[in-house]
Amino acid sequence: MNYIGLLTKEEKSILCGIITGKEFKELFKRNEQEFSKIRKGFRAKSLTEQQALSIAISNIDKPFIATWVNTMLEHWLKEIQENIAKLEGEGLSHSAALATTMLDSFFVNNVELYFKLTGNPLDADAYSNLYERMENIKSERARNAEMSDRIKAVEQENRSLSDQVEAAQRSMEAIKTECEERVQEIEQRKNELESLLAAAQAKIAELQTAPSAFTNDDADYLAQFDDTNTSILPSGSADEIISLCGVISDYNGQKWLIRYADLNNNGRYDIFLKNEDVPPYFTNRDKIFYKDGPSNNGFYGIWTWSAVPNENDPSKDYILSRYNTDIDAIEIVTITETTTLDDLVDLLKKGIEYQPHSRRVMFTLYASKGQYIGILCNTKEFNTVNGKTTVSEDCIVVPVYEFAADDIIRLGNGLSFYRNAFAGLPSKLYHLKSPLDIVKNIVFSSLSWNAYKTREVTRAEYRTFKDFIGAIPVDDITRKIGTACRCSTPAAKELLDKFLNIVWKYVDGDSLEDEIIHSAISANVELQEKAKALIRKDWETENESLLIEARGKLDSLRAELKSVTEDLSKAQEALNKTKAEDERLAGIIAEKERLAADVEKAVAVRIQKARENAADFIASMAFVSGQQMQGGCTESPAKIEVSSKSDIDTYRICPEYDNLDDLEVHHSWTDVINTAVFELAEAGVAEQYRTGLAAFLCAAYIKKQPLLLVGPNAIDIIQAFSAAVTAHKHGVLCCEGGYVYQAVEKIGADGESIVIINNFLASGWINRLPEILYKKDIFYVFTHPYAEDIQVEPKSLYGFMLPLFTEFLVDKKATGKYYGGYFSDNFKSFSPEKGAHKELSVLSKFALSSLVRSKINSIAATMHGIYPLATTDDDFLFCIFPIAYASMAVNELAEEIADSQNGITISANLKRDLQYVLGEI
């Protein structure tokens, strides 16, 4: 029944809303061919549900939509009638069964529409009674649901209380046991504390009489390490952005800043996330132009930048950036093998294998429960040599910070940074050196060479050194010690005196009566032997563990030497067998070579006789293999380059997509171009170039004109095109190693019409180009990553293939997610109109052969034939510019563009994009 015919336009719209756009989208996907008639150029699977609903409302009277809607309505009406009958059978009155069924039906909000579709509309009183009954049922259901929820909540609460009672009982038993254990521990701890107290009292007595140092770690001294400076934070109204950036270089050597996080006005960094749905300009920019600051790749720092509209194209931006010297990024380096602050400092003194990426580094360890402890060092306080980082010898004290995991931002590349711009006030200080070590360093740094060279160096070293030490400027050293150790002047003087006493004792002990002892031992052989024996015995006793360890290592080395000797004997035996086998094989090969020489000589004699007798020659040729004749190879087998690489590895087939129902069906080249435009977007091609590039590639495919794609995303572009044209099916030839003719013979054997050839220019295959391009029904596409390499290739190369540079066409990374399409059985092939011709006159200005010009003009004519909307920009970008750049005719091309009367006409936008290649035009 035609239910739709009963409805007004507004009621049809309401009905479509009840059915939902999701259902209509599935209908369109199942009827792709019918859908394409009402929405040309659209793919059903790419529609949103709202778009599908709008299309259905506008086209509901279309046969395939109307039939499906009528079928669905008939099913719904039947279900409603069956449910009413079922409820009446269960004892409900007709009015109650009707109200209950309508409340659960698709027409709950459109009861009048339902009765209109049944052909039995009700009067106003009947509708009022029905609505009242439906509301009563709805309210009763709500009350029942609420009561059910309350019962469940009470039951859940009862279970929870029971669990709590059981848990409390278990907890009481555990607490009782724990208390008993704690009493024992406290008794034991009490005894330990009594002994520690006695030791502490003794230490206090000692310290009361010792000079005080490191006693001023108070708030005033800690405040000296507070680096907070809120005046340099960005304000809420500032146009400039302060960002944490990393320095990189692109393949042209240009420096760029990768934006990772932005500093807010609260002094914390927020991770920057690029919005892929918005152009990558202005505040959505993740790549900033580098102007100044540290230039080492991998350096992370703070840059202040802003973006203003570009004068030529306000939709794009112009970047102003500068290195921010007021703030340094604090890199977080967590050392997992340490558990205490002392272990961390000891490890840093020895050195860790790490290359810092910032001017300030927080070396940290994981404490517990998401808490970290670290020491903060700047570039003056640590040294990095050959990738090994150590604490500087001049570093006396470092600030200690405690922070949580939330204070760390982790970048996607594995690096971590402190979330706050400033480390703030440290929790305490860690002293890397003792007071005497500080005194020693200050003393030695105060030893003046001028004071030393005024002394008589020829005197005995004992007297000279003591005089030298006596010349130290004590007052200046005392002041330095007091500053470094943060102690009073008397305490600093006492520390210096203590150090000097150690020096005098060392010097005197090292020199006193040395000559007397030496003379006594030298004059008495028995005393000499006795001294040696005593020294040896003492040394062995002191180093017993080292000796045991050394003997163990020696035994291990001897066992290892024995094992290696046995392995060497076995290897030597295997080598001898291999040499014998090589000699045997060499004899066989020599025999085969002699046999081959005899065969070659016999063949040459037979050919000579055949040439003397034409009849014999023709008869001999009948025995030659047809396959050998077709090879077209005029070289002898000895001259053919042989590769050990498998032909399977060299040439492979990427198969056709299994489920063709998911792909686009092409009925004309317009369909192919539309699909290719979608796929090229996934390959990273900029929006303004997708249609022109799709038309150009289709034209090259029609003409089977080999192309050379050069630059980024080259392989992605041809993979996207093969997906759009041949349902992903294509061949891949990898030109690695020597030429493999078996692999070339396989080209086209599986019905593939597109072949991608990689690494062609960097291999020895280039001289085999005519053999590779032997089959004329294949669309060959060569790829190469670097545009600069093309200018050094011979110009005659372009008689075989035409270049196309992708660097000007792509603006993002390829996703690799291609749907694709295929030719329908009734696909309308391209037939050029009679007399159709395209002449790009500017090509005559370049030093190109007539063959190259003819091929370019042919593709241009085909491109305009399948895509009449092709522009002069398309002709320039795909037909003129690539060959000019490849043949180093850029200057001539620039002159033609500059000639406003007789030259090339291109758009202002394209001129601007080409300025960095052609210069100011």
Side-chain angles (χ1 to χ4, degrees):
M1 181 175 176
N2 184 15
Y3 294 99
I4 294 179
L6 302 175
L7 304 180
T8 65
K9 183 177 181 181
E10 181 179 358
E11 290 170 337
K12 291 176 182 179
S13 177
I14 294 173
L15 178 60
C16 290
I18 295 173
I19 296 173
T20 73
K22 180 180 180 181
E23 295 294 331
F24 281 114
K25 181 177 179 181
E26 293 300 320
L27 172 65
F28 295 156
K29 288 169 65 177
R30 293 194 300 270
N31 298 269
E32 189 75 35
Q33 189 169 3
E34 292 295 329
F35 174 75
S36 64
K37 294 178 181 179
I38 63 177
R39 277 297 182 271
K40 294 183 179 180
F42 282 79
R43 295 188 295 183
K45 61 188 174 184
S46 64
L47 295 176
T48 64
E49 293 180 7
Q50 184 59 42
Q51 290 173 334
L53 179 60
S54 299
I55 293 172
I57 293 172
S58 302
N59 299 273
I60 191 171
D61 294 323
K62 298 293 182 181
F64 84 100
I65 300 178
T67 301
W68 179 77
V69 172
N70 284 328
T71 302
M72 180 175 285
L73 287 174
E74 184 175 359
H75 178 69
W76 286 357
L77 296 178
K78 183 179 179 182
E79 283 185 342
I80 291 173
Q81 291 300 325
E82 290 176 350
N83 196 65
I84 292 173
K86 178 184 175 183
L87 294 177
E88 288 177 347
E90 293 174 357
L92 267 69
S93 65
H94 177 74
S95 59
L98 176 62
T100 302
T101 302
M102 294 306 299
L103 193 61
D104 297 328
S105 72
F106 291 104
F107 299 96
V108 60
N109 297 318
N110 297 277
V111 175
E112 291 88 349
L113 181 60
Y114 163 75
F115 283 100
K116 187 172 184 179
L117 290 170
T118 62
N120 299 308
L122 304 178
D123 56 29
D125 291 338
Y127 279 126
S128 178
N129 292 334
L130 178 58
Y131 284 133
E132 183 178 357
R133 179 62 66 90
M134 290 172 63
E135 285 297 322
N136 291 337
I137 295 173
K138 186 176 180 180
S139 299
E140 184 178 355
R141 287 181 177 179
R143 288 193 297 272
N144 292 339
E146 183 179 0
M147 184 62 66
S148 177
D149 292 339
R150 288 181 179 178
I151 292 173
K152 290 180 180 178
V154 171
E155 291 175 349
Q156 178 65 32
E157 185 176 0
N158 289 338
R159 287 194 295 270
S160 177
L161 290 174
S162 298
D163 293 340
Q164 291 178 15
V165 170
E166 293 177 1
Q169 291 175 347
R170 291 194 299 269
S171 178
M172 288 177 61
E173 293 295 330
I175 291 172
K176 180 180 177 182
T177 303
E178 183 181 357
C179 289
E180 292 174 352
E181 294 174 353
R182 289 281 294 173
V183 169
Q184 295 178 357
E185 292 177 0
I186 290 172
E187 289 293 334
Q188 182 180 356
R189 184 61 178 164
K190 176 185 175 183
N191 296 331
E192 294 176 355
L193 288 175
E194 288 177 350
S195 60
L196 290 174
L197 178 61
Q201 289 174 342
K203 187 66 176 177
I204 290 172
E206 177 184 350
L207 292 175
Q208 287 175 343
T209 59
S212 61
F214 300 148
T215 58
N216 295 326
D217 283 356
D218 53 15
D220 292 338
Y221 186 67
L222 285 175
Q224 298 179 19
F225 291 85
D226 188 354
D227 62 346
T228 305
N229 183 6
T230 57
S231 63
I232 61 178
L233 293 177
S235 63
S237 59
D239 294 332
E240 292 184 324
I241 300 175
I242 301 176
S243 299
L244 168 62
C245 302
V247 181
I248 65 164
S249 296
D250 59 19
Y251 58 88
N252 288 324
Q254 172 65 47
K255 297 288 184 181
W256 292 93
L257 302 174
I258 301 301
R259 176 185 176 192
Y260 290 100
D262 298 333
L263 183 64
N264 61 33
N265 53 11
N266 293 323
R268 288 175 68 83
Y269 293 104
D270 298 320
I271 291 291
F272 170 72
L273 297 175
K274 181 181 177 183
N275 188 344
E276 298 297 338
D277 297 329
V278 178
Y281 306 116
F282 300 99
T283 57
N284 195 41
R285 174 179 287 276
D286 63 346
K287 198 174 181 180
I288 301 170
F289 178 73
Y290 172 88
K291 183 179 180 181
D292 63 351
S295 60
N296 296 334
N297 287 339
F299 176 82
Y300 286 73
I302 307 301
W303 273 264
T304 301
W305 63 282
S306 60
V308 298
N310 192 298
E311 294 181 357
N312 296 325
D313 185 357
S315 65
K316 297 182 179 179
D317 56 8
Y318 180 78
I319 299 300
L320 301 172
S321 68
R322 69 179 186 275
Y323 180 63
N324 194 322
T325 58
D326 296 326
I327 309 174
D328 284 318
I330 302 176
E331 183 182 4
I332 300 293
V333 179
T334 303
I335 302 176
T336 56
E337 56 264 37
T338 59
T339 56
T340 66
L341 202 56
D342 292 336
D343 293 341
L344 176 66
V345 172
D346 289 341
L347 190 60
L348 288 174
K349 287 181 178 180
K350 297 175 183 177
I352 61 172
E353 296 294 333
Y354 190 78
Q355 178 68 47
H357 301 84
S358 176
R359 293 185 184 275
R360 302 179 77 192
V361 180
M362 183 89 75
F363 297 101
T364 67
L365 61 90
Y366 182 78
S368 63
K369 297 182 180 180
Q371 296 297 314
Y372 291 82
I373 300 175
I375 61 173
L376 181 61
C377 301
N378 57 36
T379 52
K380 294 181 180 179
E381 295 167 341
F382 64 82
N383 300 316
T384 301
V385 179
N386 296 327
K388 189 172 185 178
T389 299
T390 58
V391 176
S392 174
E393 286 291 334
D394 298 331
C395 185
I396 297 174
V397 62
V398 289
V400 178
Y401 294 88
E402 298 177 3
F403 53 94
D406 293 341
D407 295 321
I408 302 175
I409 55 174
R410 305 183 190 278
L411 309 185
N413 56 11
L415 298 182
S416 300
F417 288 85
Y418 198 56
R419 186 176 293 276
N420 298 319
F422 310 110
L425 187 70
S427 59
K428 61 180 179 180
L429 301 176
Y430 190 97
H431 301 277
L432 302 177
K433 296 182 179 181
S434 67
L436 285 179
D437 287 332
I438 297 173
V439 172
K440 182 179 70 174
N441 290 341
I442 294 174
V443 169
F444 286 149
S445 64
S446 302
L447 296 179
S448 169
W449 169 245
N450 290 327
Y452 180 76
K453 67 182 181 181
T454 58
R455 298 293 185 274
E456 298 181 16
V457 180
T458 57
R459 297 190 176 186
E461 288 187 0
Y462 173 76
R463 184 181 297 276
T464 302
F465 183 72
K466 293 191 71 172
D467 290 344
F468 184 59
I469 293 293
I472 295 176
V474 176
D475 293 337
D476 183 54
I477 291 177
T478 303
R479 180 180 56 80
K480 291 180 180 179
I481 293 173
T483 302
C485 296
R486 301 184 310 283
C487 59
S488 62
T489 301
K493 183 66 170 64
E494 189 170 349
L495 283 172
L496 178 60
D497 292 340
K498 186 176 181 180
F499 172 74
L500 290 177
N501 289 334
I502 295 173
V503 172
W504 299 135
K505 183 178 180 180
Y506 174 78
V507 172
D508 292 341
D510 203 28
S511 58
L512 184 61
E513 298 182 353
D514 283 350
E515 294 184 1
I516 298 174
I517 296 173
H518 182 268
S519 299
I521 293 176
S522 300
N524 192 327
V525 177
E526 183 179 352
L527 180 59
Q528 208 175 94
E529 293 299 327
K530 187 174 181 180
K532 288 180 181 180
L534 290 172
I535 293 172
R536 185 186 302 110
K537 184 177 180 180
D538 291 342
W539 186 88
E540 289 177 351
T541 302
E542 292 175 0
N543 298 276
E544 183 178 1
S545 60
L546 293 176
L547 286 172
I548 294 173
E549 182 180 356
R551 291 191 185 101
K553 289 182 179 180
L554 180 60
D555 294 339
S556 176
L557 290 173
R558 286 172 176 169
E560 185 177 352
L561 176 61
K562 182 179 180 181
S563 176
V564 170
T565 303
E566 293 175 355
D567 292 342
L568 180 62
S569 300
K570 293 178 181 179
Q572 187 64 42
E573 183 179 352
L575 178 62
N576 294 334
K577 290 181 179 179
T578 302
K579 287 182 178 179
E581 183 66 14
D582 288 344
E583 292 175 358
R584 186 181 70 81
L585 292 175
I588 294 173
I589 292 171
E591 183 64 26
K592 297 292 184 181
E593 289 177 348
R594 285 195 296 273
L595 178 60
D598 294 340
V599 171
E600 186 176 359
K601 184 183 296 183
V603 171
V605 171
R606 185 175 179 185
I607 292 174
Q608 182 61 34
K609 288 181 179 180
R611 287 175 177 170
E612 293 174 357
N613 187 331
D616 290 344
F617 179 71
I618 295 172
S620 298
M621 292 302 292
F623 293 98
V624 178
S625 168
Q627 183 177 359
Q628 292 174 333
M629 292 293 291
Q630 294 174 3
C633 180
T634 59
E635 295 180 280
S636 66
K639 293 182 180 179
I640 295 178
E641 189 176 356
V642 178
S643 171
S644 61
K645 186 174 183 179
S646 168
D647 59 297
I648 297 177
D649 297 333
T650 304
Y651 186 73
R652 59 183 174 86
I653 297 293
C654 294
E656 184 178 78
Y657 191 72
D658 293 334
N659 191 359
L660 295 181
D661 293 338
D662 293 339
L663 307 184
E664 296 291 338
V665 183
H666 301 147
H667 302 281
S668 65
W669 281 106
T670 301
D671 295 341
V672 178
I673 292 174
N674 289 336
T675 301
V677 168
F678 281 106
E679 308 305 350
L680 290 175
E682 300 298 328
V685 177
E687 182 178 2
Q688 65 268 32
Y689 301 133
R690 292 170 193 166
T691 306
L693 178 59
F696 176 80
L697 292 175
C698 288
Y701 178 83
I702 292 171
K703 304 298 293 184
K704 296 300 184 288
Q705 170 58 52
L707 296 180
L708 173 59
L709 262 63
V710 184
N713 295 25
I715 296 178
D716 300 289
I717 289 173
I718 192 57
Q719 285 178 343
F721 180 73
S722 71
V725 177
T726 61
H728 295 264
K729 185 173 184 177
H730 63 277
V732 180
L733 179 64
C734 185
C735 302
E736 298 284 353
Y739 179 73
V740 182
Y741 70 90
Q742 297 94 334
V744 176
E745 285 292 321
K746 289 186 177 182
I747 294 179
D750 198 42
E752 69 275 16
S753 59
I754 299 177
V755 173
I756 304 174
I757 303 177
N758 300 324
N759 200 42
F760 177 74
L761 297 179
S763 67
W765 291 54
I766 193 168
N767 294 329
R768 300 287 185 171
L769 188 56
E771 300 172 40
I772 296 174
L773 301 179
Y774 174 74
K775 297 179 180 178
K776 307 304 180 185
D777 57 344
I778 302 292
F779 179 37
Y780 298 94
V781 182
F782 299 79
T783 66
H784 191 74
Y786 310 118
E788 294 80 4
D789 296 348
I790 304 304
Q791 294 183 332
V792 301
E793 295 297 331
K795 290 185 179 181
S796 56
L797 178 67
Y798 308 119
F800 295 93
M801 64 189 76
L802 297 179
L804 180 63
F805 298 94
T806 65
E807 183 176 356
F808 314 103
L809 309 178
V810 299
D811 62 354
K812 60 184 177 181
K813 183 180 178 181
T815 66
K817 300 177 181 178
Y818 312 123
Y819 286 97
Y822 62 96
F823 296 115
S824 65
D825 295 336
N826 60 348
F827 180 80
K828 184 179 179 181
S829 60
F830 172 70
S831 298
E833 296 181 2
K834 188 175 181 180
H837 182 68
K838 183 72 176 178
E839 182 70 30
L840 301 175
S841 58
V842 70
L843 297 177
S844 60
K845 305 292 183 179
F846 310 143
L848 303 176
S849 68
S850 58
L851 174 62
V852 175
R853 294 200 304 272
S854 174
K855 289 184 175 183
I856 296 175
N857 287 326
S858 176
I859 285 191
T862 304
M863 180 172 68
H864 283 267
I866 62 176
Y867 182 60
L869 298 179
T871 65
T872 55
D873 280 2
D874 295 329
D875 292 337
F876 178 88
L877 197 57
F878 304 115
C879 300
I880 299 173
F881 175 72
I883 194 65
Y885 185 87
S887 58
M888 301 182 69
V890 174
N891 293 334
E892 293 85 345
L893 181 61
E895 293 175 359
E896 290 297 318
I897 297 175
D899 188 350
S900 58
Q901 296 182 351
N902 302 319
I904 305 172
T905 302
I906 59 175
S907 67
N909 289 338
L910 185 56
K911 280 186 179 180
R912 185 187 64 249
D913 293 342
L914 291 169
Q915 282 184 1
Y916 79 95
V917 175
L918 303 178
E920 189 70 28
I921 302 175

